[in-house]
Amino acid sequence: LQAWVTIQKRAQTTMAAPSEPTPGLIAGGVLVVLHTIFATAAYFTTSTAPQLKTAYEMKYMVFVAVIYYFIYNLFIFRQGLSKQLIPQYAKKVDRDISEFQDMSNNFNRTPLNALEQMGPFMASFWLYGGFVNPMRAAYIGAAYVFFFAIYPICYGWNKDKPLLLLSTLPRYWMICYMFWGVLMSYIKFTS
């Protein structure tokens, strides 16, 4: 009987409602607001029916994609070189390698962030530009590449990363807008 009571008490404490909002609920609320804003913006700025664009119309998108790829490769090579250079530098200046952890985090986190966002960016970029507005996609893509390129600077070398949102948030917003732009083009003009 004692064991059963203990099990019931544990079940009640784990099933009890949290006294504070969970990160998932907060994130969900923020996403609902953000998506509502960008869906509304996409609704009012999308003025054409979806139609497959020509290679000529998408030429500036190709330049943006190549520049994006170049910067992505730069981040990857930077990460690979850091694995060799940081230990050598630590030895040269006679310091423990653990003192360079923040620098190492920057070198590692930069390509990881790039990889995390590559799929959503490329999908939204090519869908929006390929079906809705290639010139606007090229402009948005160029802005995306700029904010993408400054990620290592915004990440910094220390544990406090207040500038990081300067690189990441605008990129999330651009992806969100382009996805909603594609959807709104279909909703407004193909029903």
Side-chain angles (χ1 to χ4, degrees):
L1 185 62
Q2 180 80 21
W4 186 80
V5 170
T6 304
I7 291 171
Q8 289 299 318
K9 284 183 181 178
R10 284 186 190 158
Q12 287 174 352
T13 57
T14 57
M15 297 274 224
S19 59
E20 297 178 17
T22 63
L25 290 176
I26 294 169
V30 168
L31 284 176
V32 166
V33 170
L34 262 168
H35 281 274
T36 301
I37 291 168
F38 288 104
T40 304
Y43 182 83
F44 288 110
T45 59
T46 302
S47 59
T48 60
Q51 179 182 1
L52 187 58
K53 306 303 179 188
T54 66
Y56 180 78
E57 291 174 295
M58 295 191 297
K59 70 181 175 184
Y60 295 110
M61 292 176 60
V62 172
F63 293 123
V64 168
V66 169
I67 293 168
Y68 175 87
Y69 178 71
F70 175 78
I71 294 170
Y72 172 73
N73 274 303
L74 181 70
F75 290 164
I76 295 295
F77 284 113
R78 179 178 173 258
Q79 178 190 35
L81 286 173
S82 74
K83 304 253 187 251
Q84 295 176 354
L85 297 179
I86 289 177
Q88 290 174 3
Y89 181 73
K91 188 175 180 182
K92 180 180 175 182
V93 296
D94 196 31
R95 301 206 9 225
D96 190 271
I97 195 166
S98 64
E99 295 179 41
F100 298 94
Q101 188 60 47
D102 290 331
M103 184 184 295
S104 181
N105 288 345
N106 182 310
F107 290 139
N108 289 325
R109 192 63 209 129
T110 298
L112 288 174
N113 178 266
L115 191 58
E116 290 164 3
Q117 296 304 314
M118 184 184 290
F121 169 64
M122 283 295 167
S124 65
F125 178 68
W126 287 106
L127 282 170
Y128 186 76
F131 290 102
V132 181
N133 190 329
M135 199 60 177
R136 187 178 294 152
Y139 285 130
I140 293 171
Y144 186 96
V145 168
F146 169 77
F147 287 108
F148 172 64
I150 66 170
Y151 183 90
I153 297 163
C154 294
Y155 192 92
W157 302 117
N158 59 21
K159 291 179 170 80
D160 299 323
K161 309 208 177 350
L163 293 177
L164 189 58
L165 296 179
L166 181 64
S167 171
T168 56
L169 285 181
R171 292 187 290 142
Y172 299 149
W173 298 337
M174 289 179 232
I175 290 169
C176 186
Y177 172 80
M178 288 189 289
F179 273 130
W180 277 109
V182 174
L183 185 60
M184 289 304 170
S185 179
Y186 277 89
I187 290 172
K188 285 173 67 174
F189 299 104
T190 61
S191 348

